[in-house]
Amino acid sequence: MPRQPITVLGECVADAFVQPQRSSPGELTLKVHAGGGPANTAVGLARLGTPTRFLGRLSEDTFGRLFRTHLTASGVDLAHSVNAPEPSTLAVAELSPDGHAAYSFHAEGTADWQWHPAELAAVPLSGTACVHTGSLALVREPGGPAVEEFLARAAGNATVSIDPNVRPLLVDPARYRERLARWCELADLLRLSADDLALLLPGVSPEAACDRWHRAGVRLVVVTLGEHGALASLDGTRITVPAVPVEVVDTVGAGDAFTAGLLHHLGERGLLGGRLDSLTAPDVSAACAYAARVAALTCAAKGANPPWARQLTV
């Protein structure tokens, strides 16, 4: 069966990691990687072997050149990304001893959020089995409404996947809550982390949250729970998947890698390209187990560095 193409829409962010051991008094050393949730997911999909197109507004600055090199080296198609005059978004990350990152963002007036309808209206959707988006490009003004319009157009033929990837330092979680019901109307698959859940629905259990989002329209909800694995809910049928044990270097990009693994596995089996009507609980269980392996390998590497397909066959 031919592999099903996936389109990923969203931001590519310069992740600048503080290097304390290399800094002298009065200076700060940073190591910059290409990041951003949607871009990480596109890289993960392409490395696993899914034909992947990334729709981003990529700056023409130094970071934008880094993004293009990183994406194309992983096999991502950038033919319909926009060459943007605005600067790139910068995120400065400091890692804790257990590998978790705390971020500060420099994102005002940057390229990622400036989508307007004409840019996305020019993107052909024929042949795309799935459109994945989320994170800041979907919620920040002025481009968020244009992205929603694009999803509504894509939903006619393609599976729609959304990862809210809540970033409270940049957008008040209340803005995500205001839009989430609409996203559930548009989406067939909603993937989010336990941290996202705590910000979106404080005090609500993953199971109750899944039921709420099913009622809003989304068929498949997957909540990743870090070292506790993942909970998936397909129209209310629960599937739990354990985490894969791994020596954690850092957790940067692990959720994005999980999403890439999930979508890749579903696409490999011809299950994308509509409303997930033929999807079964065993299908979801197998896809989540595969995604957990992809996420574990990402945690074992530094930065958002998802594995290549060959690494999963070892």
Side-chain angles (χ1 to χ4, degrees):
M1 176 183 294
R3 287 175 168 166
Q4 295 185 290
I6 292 179
T7 294
V8 180
L9 168 58
E11 67 266 20
C12 195
V13 174
D15 281 341
F17 290 87
V18 177
Q19 307 288 298
Q21 72 277 12
R22 300 180 189 173
S23 299
S24 300
E27 69 177 27
L28 186 65
T29 301
L30 302 173
K31 186 172 183 179
V32 180
H33 300 268
N40 292 340
T41 301
V43 167
L45 281 163
R47 289 184 178 184
L48 293 172
T50 291
T52 305
R53 175 174 64 173
F54 182 67
L55 303 181
R57 299 188 83 260
L58 301 179
S59 175
E60 297 178 330
D61 63 14
T62 299
F63 297 133
R65 293 192 293 274
L66 171 68
F67 301 157
R68 289 180 181 85
T69 299
H70 175 64
L71 288 157
T72 56
S74 294
V76 178
D77 177 4
L78 298 180
H80 290 92
S81 284
V82 173
N83 294 327
E86 301 88 2
S88 298
T89 305
L90 174 66
V92 179
E94 190 163 10
L95 295 176
S96 65
D98 62 357
H100 288 78
Y103 287 93
S104 62
F105 289 91
H106 306 268
E108 292 307 313
T110 53
D112 296 293
W113 334 121
Q114 311 304 319
W115 288 107
H116 54 82
E119 290 173 330
L120 291 172
V123 177
L125 284 166
S126 60
T128 294
C130 175
V131 173
H132 172 75
T133 189
S135 197
L136 294 162
L138 184 56
V139 74
R140 277 180 68 90
E141 300 292 342
V147 175
E148 283 192 9
E149 287 180 23
F150 182 78
L151 293 182
R153 178 161 68 94
N157 296 296
T159 301
V160 173
S161 167
I162 292 178
D163 174 1
N165 197 13
V166 182
R167 296 294 191 188
L169 292 177
L170 281 177
V171 179
D172 189 327
R175 289 277 294 129
Y176 292 85
R177 296 187 203 109
E178 290 169 5
R179 303 306 306 153
L180 194 54
R182 173 58 177 158
W183 298 344
C184 288
E185 290 176 5
L186 293 169
D188 305 290
L189 191 164
L190 181 70
R191 203 292 300 176
L192 67 161
S193 69
D195 290 342
D196 293 331
L197 175 60
L199 289 165
L200 292 169
L201 296 174
V204 176
S205 71
E207 293 81 3
C210 289
D211 290 339
R212 182 179 302 195
W213 292 326
H214 288 321
R215 289 193 296 270
V218 63
R219 288 205 65 203
L220 175 61
V221 181
V222 181
V223 183
T224 50
L225 304 169
E227 67 273 21
H228 302 296
L231 168 72
S233 182
L234 177 64
D235 294 327
T237 299
R238 314 290 194 219
I239 301 103
T240 57
V241 175
V244 175
V246 66
E247 186 173 339
V248 175
V249 174
D250 68 49
T251 62
V252 176
D256 307 321
F258 186 101
T259 301
L262 179 66
L263 293 175
H264 171 77
H265 195 277
L266 294 175
E268 281 276 276
R269 282 143 189 80
L271 295 168
L272 300 176
R275 307 282 72 81
L276 302 177
D277 294 329
S278 61
L279 193 64
T280 66
D283 293 329
V284 174
S285 180
C288 286
Y290 180 85
R293 291 178 61 207
V294 176
L297 286 171
T298 305
C299 290
K302 198 164 187 62
N305 187 18
W308 296 81
R310 59 182 178 270
Q311 294 173 255
L312 281 95
T313 60
V314 176

